[in-house]
């Protein structure tokens, strides 16, 4: 069973060595994790959303209706310059974003909010990501 993105990041945060962190990234490879890392670390990605903490009601941990491992596909609606994002009004785009973060695990929601604010996860650096996933970062 795949771990949620926040669970992977928690394990990485607790790991003591660079090699262990890179190993954890590789072992828990998922498109959701890669999208979070790219959205956070790749400077060529700009978010078409206001920064800061959006007004939202986190889902209950025990009964989340969706999962970031599937919902990450909707990030295309929030990236500045992409056709999918540009077609939406700001109100619709922000409403979709709030729906996404309200529907996933509350800890994953925090990870997504940190991503749009370009706040890097603790214990991770760009060189580690480049070593674990060569070519992921495009800038």
């Amino acid at each position: 069973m795949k771990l949620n993105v926040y669970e992977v990041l928690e394990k990485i945060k607790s790991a003591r060595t660079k090699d262990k962190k890179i190993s954890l990234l590789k072992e828990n490879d998922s498109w959701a994790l890669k999208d979070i890392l790219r959205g956070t670390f790749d400077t060529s990605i700009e978010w078409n959303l206001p920064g800061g903490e959006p007004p939202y009601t986190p889902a209950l941990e025990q009964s989340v209706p969706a999962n970031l491992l599937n919902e990450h596909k909707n990030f295309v609606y929030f990236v500045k310059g992409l056709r999918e994002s540009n077609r939406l009004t700001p109100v619709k785009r922000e409403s979709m974003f709030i729906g996404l973060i309200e529907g996933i695990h509350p800890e994953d929601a925090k990870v997504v909010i940190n991503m749009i604010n370009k706040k890097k996860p603790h214990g991770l650096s760009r060189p580690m990501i480049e070593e674990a996933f060569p070519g992921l970062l495009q800038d």
Side-chain angles (χ1 to χ4, degrees), residues 36-85:
I36 290 290
L37 296 174
R38 184 159 185 234
T40 303
F41 285 89
D42 193 323
T43 58
S44 69
I45 293 178
E46 291 183 55
W47 296 102
N48 208 358
L49 293 163
E53 178 91 11
Y56 78 105
T57 305
L60 297 174
E61 261 185 63
Q62 61 274 19
S63 62
V64 291
N67 188 313
L68 185 56
L69 295 172
N70 296 324
E71 296 298 311
H72 71 97
K73 297 170 189 153
N74 291 317
F75 289 172
V76 295
Y77 296 107
F78 314 125
V79 177
K80 193 177 283 187
L82 292 184
R83 180 182 59 226
E84 294 88 342
S85 178

Side-chain angles (χ1 to χ4, degrees), residues 82-97:
L82 292 184
R83 180 182 59 226
E84 294 88 342
S85 178
N86 291 342
R87 287 183 176 169
L88 300 174
T89 65
V91 171
K92 177 65 175 170
R93 188 180 316 107
E94 291 168 29
S95 170
M96 286 177 66
F97 180 73

Side-chain angles (χ1 to χ4, degrees), residues 90-133:
V91 171
K92 177 65 175 170
R93 188 180 316 107
E94 291 168 29
S95 170
M96 286 177 66
F97 180 73
I98 289 172
L100 183 142
I101 60 176
E102 285 183 342
I104 61 177
H105 192 283
E107 293 301 317
D108 272 341
K110 290 177 188 175
V111 169
V112 172
I113 293 166
N114 286 340
M115 174 188 68
I116 66 156
N117 288 301
K118 298 286 187 174
K119 185 177 176 192
K120 295 168 178 56
H122 292 287
L124 270 180
S125 67
R126 186 181 180 101
M128 285 181 216
I129 294 163
E130 289 172 337
E131 188 173 332
F133 305 121

Side-chain angles (χ1 to χ4, degrees), residues 2 11 20 22-30 133:
K2 285 199 177 238
K11 284 183 171 235
K20 180 63 178 166
I22 291 168
S23 174
L24 284 166
L25 284 170
K26 289 179 179 180
E27 290 167 15
N28 294 285
D29 183 359
S30 71
F133 305 121

